Amino acid sequence: EDDSEDEAVVFRKPRYVTRESTWEGLGYCGLLGHESINESVKLKASGSFEESQLATESHESRQEQDSHDGRQTSVSKEHLPCDEDESHVARRISSDERAKWRSSFNRFRHDGEIHRDDLNKALAHCGFDDRRQSLIDEALEQVTRYTALNREEFMQFVCLYESRLHDLYRTEFLKYETSPGAMSVQSLPLLLQELGLEPRRVVLEELLKEVCHGRPSEVLGFRDVAAVMELLRAREGFLVAELDRFRGVFQDFDSDASGDMSAGELGSALSWLGFPYTNDKVQSLYKESDMNGNGVLSESEF
């Protein structure tokens, strides 16, 4: 498949703010496998979300067909569809992101479709640390009235889920806003609790130093809060020193240096860490932690 050119994917714009202003025009790393998201772009033309997405996928199919025929084709940005009345906003989807989403679809598909019961795992494989069933259901219902998605529909679904997640974060931020675009750092624990995050104080202090580049700050912008949430989820609530220790344990007990951990290696690692679980418990934890379903544990899954 031709992944040489970035593709535009259309998003529903939150009613209160454009995607570009939501992320302060600086992009956002992390929701999609810690890859940079480029600045939002508004595209011209008309049509519904579904029509726009299908047109994009149709263009991709034409590129693939032309490639088979020995021809190279391209289309300019101004020909990509989107509403002119700002009811939709688009961002550039990188080739790496597109390939990752397709890989996720291929891993969990059955008979050419991915069932709704596998969407949570598919999002995890795409790199989403924050997966909420209510948002999954909403995005799914907007894409289809059936219980399974084909590849085109899955691409739409991922875009909609990301958009709704940003919408949720922004809504919670606005509750604690003390001035336009800012909130008190003292309110951060309450905001995080609303989003299901309750970090230890020492962890939160470390994150704030990192996000604020070591300078004390009494106010935080939305970009700062988003960065704290992403780092907190990516690090599973641990300190950097703790993660380094776990990483060392993973490498020490990955006896065959495969980069993955078997159930037996997991049991040995847990015992060394002070968790002498029974074999049945280890097997249960092993299956539960294998988020992408490939039968082994990666370092991040460990």
Side-chain angles (χ1 to χ4, degrees):
E1 298 182 40
D2 182 10
D3 285 336
S4 60
E5 183 177 343
D6 285 358
E7 177 180 323
V9 179
V10 178
F11 286 88
R12 293 279 181 191
K13 186 182 76 171
R15 286 190 291 269
Y16 49 81
V17 67
T18 66
R19 181 182 178 86
E20 181 176 356
S21 62
T22 297
W23 298 101
E24 302 181 13
L26 297 177
Y28 181 64
C29 296
L31 284 178
L32 300 175
H34 307 287
E35 296 172 351
S36 296
I37 293 179
N38 298 329
E39 184 175 350
S40 301
V41 293
K42 295 178 182 178
L43 304 178
K44 298 179 181 179
S46 60
S48 66
F49 173 85
E50 291 77 8
E51 291 170 344
S52 300
Q53 181 68 19
L54 289 175
T56 300
E57 291 290 340
S58 177
H59 159 62
E60 178 184 312
S61 299
R62 290 198 302 272
Q63 279 188 317
E64 293 170 358
Q65 182 62 45
D66 290 341
S67 177
H68 289 309
D69 295 340
R71 300 192 304 272
Q72 292 184 346
T73 61
S74 62
V75 80
S76 60
K77 293 180 183 178
E78 54 268 26
H79 291 150
L80 294 172
C82 186
D83 279 5
E84 200 170 54
D85 62 0
E86 294 188 356
S87 61
H88 299 90
V89 171
R91 74 168 176 87
R92 303 306 297 181
I93 301 298
S94 71
S95 297
D96 288 342
E97 287 177 317
R98 189 151 40 104
K100 184 70 172 178
W101 295 0
R102 288 173 176 168
S103 173
S104 300
F105 176 82
N106 291 334
R107 179 175 293 278
F108 295 101
R109 70 178 179 179
H110 299 283
D111 296 327
E113 294 183 320
I114 183 169
H115 193 270
R116 67 183 304 158
D117 292 342
D118 293 321
L119 290 177
N120 191 298
K121 289 185 177 181
L123 286 174
H125 190 265
C126 286
F128 285 85
D129 292 315
D130 191 356
R131 300 178 303 281
R132 299 168 183 267
Q133 191 59 47
S134 60
L135 299 186
I136 290 174
D137 293 340
E138 289 176 11
L140 177 64
E141 290 174 6
Q142 189 166 345
V143 173
T144 182
R145 59 190 177 91
Y146 301 107
T147 59
L149 302 173
N150 61 30
R151 195 184 75 173
E152 293 178 359
E153 291 169 337
F154 179 71
M155 299 289 279
Q156 292 180 28
F157 165 80
V158 176
C159 293
L160 283 170
Y161 181 81
E162 184 198 38
S163 181
R164 289 180 179 275
L165 194 60
H166 291 176
D167 197 348
L168 173 64
Y169 290 167
R170 183 68 182 186
T171 299
E172 293 301 324
F173 177 82
L174 291 175
K175 292 180 181 178
Y176 296 93
E177 199 175 46
T178 55
S179 61
M183 64 171 286
S184 170
V185 70
Q186 304 299 325
S187 300
L188 182 58
L190 295 175
L191 186 152
L192 294 176
Q193 188 175 13
E194 288 283 343
L195 293 169
L197 299 169
E198 297 186 50
R200 291 171 291 162
R201 186 177 65 179
V202 64
V203 172
L204 191 55
E205 289 174 351
E206 181 180 74
L207 291 175
L208 286 172
K209 286 181 180 179
E210 182 174 347
V211 169
C212 298
H213 307 289
R215 52 174 168 69
S217 178
E218 293 300 321
V219 295
L220 299 171
F222 180 56
R223 180 166 53 91
D224 300 324
V225 174
V228 168
M229 288 191 295
E230 181 58 24
L231 288 172
L232 187 58
R233 289 190 183 279
R235 296 172 183 172
E236 300 287 350
F238 293 112
L239 294 168
V240 171
E242 293 170 332
L243 286 178
D244 288 341
R245 182 190 178 202
F246 295 150
R247 187 174 293 112
V249 172
F250 179 88
Q251 294 170 354
D252 289 342
F253 286 90
D254 178 20
S255 56
D256 57 357
S258 63
D260 295 311
M261 183 170 279
S262 66
E265 292 169 336
L266 175 63
S268 298
L270 289 175
S271 295
W272 189 88
L273 287 169
F275 304 104
Y277 291 133
T278 64
N279 185 60
D280 289 343
K281 180 64 174 178
V282 170
Q283 291 290 340
S284 175
L285 288 172
Y286 191 81
K287 293 179 180 179
E288 184 179 346
S289 302
D290 182 17
M291 295 303 300
N292 60 15
N294 66 348
V296 292
L297 295 189
S298 64
E299 184 178 287
S300 61
E301 289 171 334
F302 171 73

